[in-house]
Amino acid sequence: DGGITQSPKYLFRKEGQNVTLSCEQNLNHDAMYWYRQDPGQGLRLIYYSQIVNDFQKGDIAEGYSVSREKKESFPLTVTSAQKNPTAFYLCASRTTGGEKLFFGSGTQLSVL
Amino acid sequence: GIQVEQSPPDLILQEGANSTLRCNFSDSVNNLQWFHQNPWGQLINLFYIPSGTKQNGRLSATTVATERYSLLYISSSQTTDSGVYFCAVGERGFRQTGANNLFFGTGTRLTVIP
């Protein structure tokens, strides 16, 4: 089945630790996105990538980093500089040449 | 960025009832999408509708871009319709260079009771 796979579903971070959230898609989509969702809020854009080896900051990029070495993969690292990392993180991709966004099932990150 | 307001914030319906969800936005848009987030967090794209009207089964949506609002209609609601409905808008289509963000509203939480 084609889709967007995020792992792990739940992740816990200790103080001062970097953690990496995985996002893989087999839809052959060029563009990929990372969003953050806080309770009772809408989604906010962290980073996006339109093609391999290129990515751009979104509205809330501070404390996060990404890479795009393969078309299928767009991992997000939450660094120790992100002081309030507890949130639900959603990865999305966009149909090539299209407008609709499709989402993975999300990763809930919590701080120990 | 564009401000997006959704109403009502919460809605409780009896199974079989109809409902209308509203999305107001503060500026001209060329990209508007409706999403449903189920209780497990999965977001499903319902409509891409920057203008006009579309229908998909029991769901339909209308966007009046000149008046800066969109409506999502749910008819004969079912318990599986429960969740949060988000409206998201963008100033320009994704295909235009640099226009890669959608601004999300805070959603309408729908609960359908049997």
Side-chain angles (χ1 to χ4, degrees), chain B residues 78-104:
Chain B
Q78 300 175 359
T79 55
T80 52
D81 294 332
S82 296
V84 183
Y85 290 80
F86 288 102
C87 170
V89 305
E91 292 170 325
R92 291 173 287 170
F94 281 130
R95 282 170 282 184
Q96 294 172 287
T97 301
N100 277 280
N101 199 6
L102 286 180
F103 296 95
F104 282 75

Side-chain angles (χ1 to χ4, degrees), chain A residues 9 31 33 35 37 40-45 48 50 59 88 90 94 97-105, chain B residues 31 33 35 37 40-43 45-48 86 92-95 97-98 100-106:
Chain A
K9 191 164 181 65
Y33 304 79
Y35 285 89
Q37 184 179 22
Q41 301 297 313
L43 281 64
R44 293 181 291 166
L45 182 66
Y48 65 92
Q50 297 190 79
D59 296 327
F88 190 55
L90 287 152
R94 174 169 59 87
E99 301 288 351
K100 293 176 74 171
L101 269 187
F102 295 89
F103 283 86
S105 56
Chain B
N31 191 336
Q33 303 186 33
F35 297 89
Q37 187 170 38
W40 298 272
Q42 178 74 55
L43 271 155
N45 194 306
L46 299 175
F47 293 103
Y48 166 70
F86 288 102
R92 291 173 287 170
F94 281 130
R95 282 170 282 184
T97 301
N100 277 280
N101 199 6
L102 286 180
F103 296 95
F104 282 75
T106 54

Side-chain angles (χ1 to χ4, degrees), chain B residues 23-104:
Chain B
C23 171
N24 292 334
F25 41 93
S26 62
D27 208 342
S28 300
V29 300
N30 283 294
N31 191 336
L32 189 148
Q33 303 186 33
W34 282 97
F35 297 89
H36 173 226
Q37 187 170 38
N38 68 22
W40 298 272
Q42 178 74 55
L43 271 155
I44 302 297
N45 194 306
L46 299 175
F47 293 103
Y48 166 70
I49 186 167
S51 63
T53 298
K54 289 186 178 179
Q55 180 155 5
N56 184 4
R58 294 182 297 103
L59 302 181
S60 64
T62 295
T63 297
V64 183
T66 53
E67 297 187 21
R68 300 182 185 171
Y69 73 88
S70 182
L71 301 174
L72 178 69
Y73 305 97
I74 304 173
S75 64
S76 303
S77 58
Q78 300 175 359
T79 55
T80 52
D81 294 332
S82 296
V84 183
Y85 290 80
F86 288 102
C87 170
V89 305
E91 292 170 325
R92 291 173 287 170
F94 281 130
R95 282 170 282 184
Q96 294 172 287
T97 301
N100 277 280
N101 199 6
L102 286 180
F103 296 95
F104 282 75

